Amino acid sequence: MLSAFSNAALSATRSRAPMTVRSISSSAIASKDFVQEIYIKELKAYKAPAKSADAHKGQVRDFHAPKAPQAPSVSTSDISSELDAYSKSEPDVAEASASSSSSGSLLESHEDVNAWLEEAKKPVVKEHH
């Protein structure tokens, strides 16, 4: 019996079709881009047109250094006369009146604040409709 079983197993393995193995490649097939090759070839072959020596004329202005500044003319008599006029002048009256009026407005605003605070302390009366 053992021989019959081994013969059947041997014949079964021979009757099988040969196994085909298919491999999967992860690298892409390199395809040439003819348009890109022609474009690169034309870029390499390009020669820029030569510019003339006077091409910059009209585009750039000539540089002229500015004139050196001159010191102002001041005489000692002018300075002394201005200092004398300043020392003889009286202090501005507008500053004194402004300071007194500002202190008065401070008192008024202080009174207004106190009145507002007293008004705020009063209880709120709710009227029912």
Side-chain angles (χ1 to χ4, degrees):
M1 176 92 167
L2 188 58
S3 67
F5 179 71
S6 62
N7 285 339
L10 185 60
S11 66
T13 57
R14 286 185 187 163
S15 66
R16 279 186 167 171
M19 183 185 289
T20 58
V21 178
R22 194 169 194 186
S23 62
I24 298 174
S25 174
S26 64
S27 62
I29 298 172
S31 63
K32 292 187 176 185
D33 188 1
F34 295 109
V35 175
Q36 184 179 8
E37 289 180 10
I38 293 170
Y39 182 73
I40 291 173
K41 183 179 83 172
E42 291 297 322
L43 279 177
K44 289 180 181 178
Y46 177 75
K47 301 290 183 203
K51 291 185 179 180
S52 65
D54 293 337
H56 69 281
K57 297 289 185 186
Q59 300 291 329
V60 180
R61 291 190 282 164
D62 294 333
F63 175 74
H64 300 289
K67 296 178 184 176
Q70 296 179 356
S73 61
V74 178
S75 64
T76 55
S77 62
D78 291 339
I79 294 174
S80 63
S81 64
E82 288 182 18
L83 286 175
D84 289 339
Y86 178 75
S87 63
K88 290 178 183 176
S89 68
E90 295 183 16
D92 290 338
V93 178
E95 290 179 6
S97 65
S99 65
S100 65
S101 66
S102 66
S103 65
S105 64
L106 285 177
L107 290 176
E108 291 171 4
S109 65
H110 183 28
E111 291 171 359
D112 292 343
V113 169
N114 286 334
W116 184 83
L117 287 173
E118 290 300 321
E119 187 71 29
K121 286 180 186 178
K122 292 180 182 177
V124 178
V125 178
K126 293 184 181 179
E127 297 180 12
H128 297 288
H129 294 283

